[in-house]
Amino acid sequence: GLLGAFEPSSATEAIRHELALELLEDVRRLDAQLKESHKRIKVAVRASGTSLTGVYGIGPVLACSLIGYTGDVTRFKSRDQFAAYNGTAPVEVSSGGRVTHRLSRRGNRQLNHAVHMVAICQIRQTHSEGRAYFEKKVAEGKTKKDAIRSLKRQISNTVYRQLVLDAQR
């Protein structure tokens, strides 16, 4: 390639050239490792027989995160407990007569991030049910942040339902 054809004209250029070649080699190695990891995750998720990948926006990597960070779903008595655990249950922050809710900072942050990524995947696709739900919430007067929070709770409920069904199988 371009780096291989380059002829350094000074000692400094020679060192920079050598470093650039090492960096390129590292990137190629890491890229190959990442592809291999994705393949292994895909195989493991398929072998688990989970129904999560049937949910729009959940591929093998997010399914793996959701299953792994949830652990045994039967430890949660309800979808509300699961939502509290993953931080998608709204937290009331009221003052005076004003009743408002904000995003929970509690719960398992990695699990919350996985739910958030599903929400973003759904919102980005104009034909998805998640996008329709998000737009409905914005039309009702919610801020985009609140609409995302609402969608995340819906996704949490769906994930909980699918994991419970998987556990029963």
Side-chain angles (χ1 to χ4, degrees):
L2 188 65
L3 272 178
F6 179 75
E7 283 296 324
S9 58
S10 70
T12 307
E13 277 186 11
I15 290 172
R16 283 186 184 142
H17 182 251
E18 202 173 298
L19 289 172
L21 287 171
E22 283 177 25
L23 183 62
L24 185 62
E25 190 179 307
D26 288 347
V27 169
R28 285 184 175 140
R29 181 179 45 78
L30 290 170
D31 192 46
Q33 278 181 344
L34 187 64
K35 283 180 181 150
E36 184 56 36
S37 292
H38 279 259
K39 276 184 202 161
R40 289 205 323 263
I41 287 170
K42 206 178 274 185
V43 168
V45 167
R46 197 174 297 128
S48 77
T50 184
S51 61
L52 275 180
T53 50
V55 176
Y56 193 88
I58 300 180
V61 173
L62 284 175
C64 188
S65 293
L66 291 165
I67 294 166
Y69 289 119
T70 297
D72 181 10
V73 75
T74 59
R75 65 193 172 125
F76 303 106
K77 290 179 184 71
S78 68
R79 66 186 195 175
D80 297 337
Q81 268 192 352
F82 181 66
Y85 177 73
N86 68 37
T88 58
V91 176
E92 191 175 310
V93 283
S94 303
S95 175
R98 190 182 60 112
V99 177
T100 55
H101 294 86
R102 72 164 175 78
L103 186 70
S104 170
R105 291 271 170 237
R106 301 172 77 175
N108 184 312
R109 302 315 299 154
Q110 289 91 347
L111 188 54
N112 185 283
H113 178 72
V115 172
H116 181 79
M117 292 311 299
V118 176
I120 296 306
C121 287
Q122 289 185 2
I123 289 169
R124 285 185 176 163
Q125 300 305 314
T126 51
H127 60 280
S128 75
E129 286 178 34
R131 173 67 173 259
Y133 181 85
F134 172 78
E135 286 175 351
K136 184 183 91 174
K137 289 293 172 188
V138 171
E140 288 171 6
K142 285 193 184 283
T143 64
K144 286 185 177 181
K145 229 179 199 175
D146 282 345
I148 290 172
R149 185 170 40 74
S150 296
L151 176 59
K152 282 172 70 173
R153 177 53 196 263
Q154 296 303 311
I155 291 166
S156 170
N157 293 346
T158 301
V159 166
Y160 177 75
R161 185 179 64 243
Q162 294 308 126
L163 288 173
V164 167
L165 289 171
D166 289 350
Q168 290 169 354
R169 261 190 261 124

